[in-house]
């Protein structure tokens, strides 16, 4: 087998065209190395590397490419054939084709792994973890879901977009600290403490997703193996238990202001006070259908309850005047919500808080307080008026999660609550008249 030349190749091509037959041209690469072959037909010529796998007699021809101008030249074909001969020497059993096909399949597999990794960077980010966590809260009928969503969207996703788009499993404690430090330096320590708690809970949910059947299946793919928030300072100084309660003179000033208003904001606060200091978040979720036959039914989903606790409150005459007005207003607006200004959605808790804060800022005779202090004020004054601990707990729906209350105590306390709230409503009403 003489070496191939351009002249011999062109001659073979002309002969094949005249005879309309195919032929093979071969050039040996050396003993045991295989050969470079060119298949010539009447219409085309193609290069192959011919070799015999170990322990076989059948010759395999591995394609190199077409011969021609701008395609694979004789020199290029020789170089490629030598490379294939070298590869054959390391191929198991000398089976070049099987070896190259397996290697190509591995390259394709790795490319797919890389592609999926790229997709996962966008799919399993910190922002995506937040979305899954909020969705879990909402599906579980946790009313904190929207509040958590707003806080994390504003203070994490919008303020730190680069971190938000980072895979959740790659987030470090230092990066979480960066988010929280920005809030504390702005004087928003309480907000920072809440954001930390929300992020820690989100990661805790992702961490147990593989073994907790109640966690979203989607979180398993996040492959979270640690909680980066766990080692971040707890910001305990911003979680101090508040002890502010209004005195009777302060409450009288505030109550008279409330009674002089006829707005949805004043109605919300008056109703909360008249009902013994109800949580605004629960009161604002009340619908017209929840107020029937002198009883307002709220739903307490606070804490780790899987199902909201029914919280029924007998309504005093003073509270009834407020709720009756809200029912009429909701009917005019075509709304299902008791406390609404536009009809489509209930009043937002933050709006009430700001409304109270704006009033407090203009008062010299009343020390600063927040809307949350009103609940403590009610319990303090109810206690001073002889309402015992058990009845106060039933009125404010707190401390009722123990085994005894969950499983054994089926008394509804409606009579006791009615007596206490009727006397309480009458006393609040008297504040408006005192000193006149």
């Amino acid at each position: 087998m003489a070496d191939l030349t351009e002249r011999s190749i062109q001659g073979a091509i002309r002969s094949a065209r005249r005879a309309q037959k195919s032929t093979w041209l071969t050039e040996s690469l050396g003993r045991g190395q295989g050969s470079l072959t060119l298949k010539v037909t009447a219409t085309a010529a193609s290069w192959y590397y011919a070799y015999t796998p170990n322990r076989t007699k059948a010759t395999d021809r591995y394609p190199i490419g077409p011969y021609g101008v701008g395609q694979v030249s004789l020199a290029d074909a020789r170089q490629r054939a030598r490379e294939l001969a070298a590869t054959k020497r390391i191929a198991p059993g000398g089976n070049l084709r099987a070896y190259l096909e397996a290697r190509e399949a591995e390259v394709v597999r790795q490319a797919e792994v890389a592609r999926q990794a790229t997709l996962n960077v966008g799919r399993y980010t910190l922002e995506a973890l937040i979305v899954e966590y909020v969705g879990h809260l909402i599906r579980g009928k946790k009313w904190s879901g929207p509040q958590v969503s707003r806080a994390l969207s504003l203070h994490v996703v919008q303020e730190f977009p680069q971190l938000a788009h980072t895979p959740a499993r790659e987030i470090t404690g230092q990066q979480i600290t960066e988010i929280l430090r920005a809030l504390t330096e702005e004087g928003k320590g309480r907000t920072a403490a809440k954001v930390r708690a929300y992020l820690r809970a989100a990661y805790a949910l992702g961490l147990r997703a593989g073994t907790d059947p109640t966690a979203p299946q989607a979180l398993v793919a996040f492959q979270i193996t640690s909680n980066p928030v766990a080692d971040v300072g707890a910001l305990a100084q911003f979680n101090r238990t508040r002890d502010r309660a209004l005195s009777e003179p302060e409450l009288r000033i505030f109550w008279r202001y409330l009674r002089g208003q006829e707005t949805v904001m004043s109605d919300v606060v008056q109703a909360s006070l008249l009902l013994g200091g109800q949580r605004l978040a629960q009161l604002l979720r009340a619908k017209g259908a929840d107020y029937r036959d002198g009883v307002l039914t709220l739903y307490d989903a606070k804490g780790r309850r899987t199902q909201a606790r029914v919280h029924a409150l007998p309504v005093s005459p003073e509270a009834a005047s407020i709720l009756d007005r809200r029912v009429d207003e909701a009917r005019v607006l075509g709304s299902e919500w008791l406390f609404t200004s536009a009809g489509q959605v209930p009043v937002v808790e933050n709006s009430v808080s700001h409304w109270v804060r704006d009033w407090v800022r203009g008062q010299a005779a009343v020390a600063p307080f927040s809307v949350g202090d009103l609940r403590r004020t009610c319990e303090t004054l109810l206690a001073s008026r002889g309402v015992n601990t058990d009845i106060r707990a039933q009125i404010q729906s707190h401390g009722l999660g123990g085994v005894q209350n969950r499983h054994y105590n089926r008394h509804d306390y409606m009579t006791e609550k009615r007596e206490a709230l009727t006397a309480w409503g009458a006393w609040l009403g008297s504040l408006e008249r005192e000193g006149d």
Side-chain angles (χ1 to χ4, degrees), residues 32-35 49-62 84-85 87-89 91-99:
Q33 300 300 308
S35 60
Y49 169 65
Y51 71 100
T52 302
N54 298 352
R55 295 185 294 277
T56 68
K57 295 181 179 179
T59 298
D60 187 15
R61 292 185 175 90
Y62 192 84
L84 291 171
T87 302
K88 171 185 172 296
R89 287 197 295 271
N95 192 332
L96 174 69
R97 183 181 295 274
Y99 176 74

Side-chain angles (χ1 to χ4, degrees), residues 350-362:
N350 280 347
S351 298
V352 182
S353 297
H354 291 157
W355 184 80
V356 171
R357 187 184 307 159
D358 289 343
W359 178 81
V360 171
R361 285 172 178 167

Side-chain angles (χ1 to χ4, degrees), residues 120-130 163-168 222:
N120 291 346
V121 166
R123 186 180 303 167
Y124 303 124
T125 61
L126 176 59
E127 181 178 8
L129 175 65
I130 290 170
L163 289 182
H165 297 156
T166 299
F222 282 72

Side-chain angles (χ1 to χ4, degrees), residues 52-107:
T52 302
N54 298 352
R55 295 185 294 277
T56 68
K57 295 181 179 179
T59 298
D60 187 15
R61 292 185 175 90
Y62 192 84
I64 293 176
Y67 166 81
V69 178
Q71 297 179 320
V72 183
S73 67
L74 173 57
D76 291 339
R78 282 174 177 153
Q79 177 62 32
R80 179 59 177 151
R82 293 190 189 99
E83 292 172 355
L84 291 171
T87 302
K88 171 185 172 296
R89 287 197 295 271
I90 64 173
N95 192 332
L96 174 69
R97 183 181 295 274
Y99 176 74
L100 291 178
E101 288 178 351
R103 191 167 69 178
E104 182 179 353
E106 177 61 18
V107 169

Side-chain angles (χ1 to χ4, degrees), residues 273-292:
L273 289 169
L274 286 165
L275 292 169
Q278 299 306 309
R279 297 182 180 95
L280 284 186
Q282 293 174 19
L283 185 61
L284 292 174
R285 292 194 296 267
K287 300 178 180 180
D290 297 325
Y291 176 42
R292 289 288 184 274

